Amino acid sequence: MNERVTGASSPAVHPECARAIRQLLQLQEPKREDFLALRTYGNDRYSSMGWEELQSYINEKTVVIVEQFEYEQNIMSALRWVARGLPVWHAIRKVKADYSVYGYKGQS
């Protein structure tokens, strides 16, 4: 299991978000809808982290996130989900699902 999962229950993550992460990780084959349903339940410690702070989460396991996305907003969002406890590939799927539905304000 991902070493960050234990951090999902820390006070830095909303308890409902931590519970939702644990439930998602129990699914054998999570679907797009499962990733879309996952949310933060408000701002947490990671919501306000900027690029400088999030770079500390880039390592040999998470560098694939940087390679997967063109937009910095997506990279930062995926790194935030890793910090909250999602494994890297789950974080990538979460951000891709969100982006396909919501996009980002200010983008054409």
Side-chain angles (χ1 to χ4, degrees):
M1 195 174 269
N2 183 341
E3 62 272 42
R4 294 253 183 232
V5 171
T6 56
S9 61
S10 77
V13 177
H14 190 284
E16 287 297 314
C17 179
R19 185 177 61 76
I21 288 171
R22 287 191 301 272
Q23 287 178 337
L24 181 75
L25 294 178
Q26 291 177 357
L27 299 175
Q28 279 191 337
E29 294 183 31
K31 299 187 178 3
R32 181 174 180 261
E33 295 76 23
D34 299 317
F35 288 100
L36 289 171
L38 181 62
R39 51 195 194 112
T40 61
Y41 294 89
N43 288 334
D44 60 18
R45 170 181 169 200
Y46 306 106
S47 299
S48 61
M49 278 190 174
W51 181 242
E52 293 297 319
E53 293 169 294
L54 289 168
Q55 284 184 30
S56 69
Y57 289 93
I58 297 175
N59 58 43
E60 56 279 347
K61 290 181 181 178
T62 60
V63 73
V64 69
I65 290 172
V66 178
E67 297 167 350
Q68 288 288 311
F69 297 110
E70 179 179 353
Y71 297 111
E72 186 176 291
Q73 297 99 321
N74 288 335
I75 296 169
M76 290 173 46
S77 182
L79 289 171
R80 286 184 184 111
W81 280 109
V82 167
R84 290 180 183 112
L86 278 185
V88 171
W89 286 105
H90 281 67
I92 289 169
R93 286 188 63 196
K94 166 63 176 157
V95 172
K96 285 184 175 184
D98 285 352
Y99 185 75
S100 72
V101 173
Y102 307 114
Y104 285 101
K105 294 178 184 170
Q107 270 184 236
S108 334

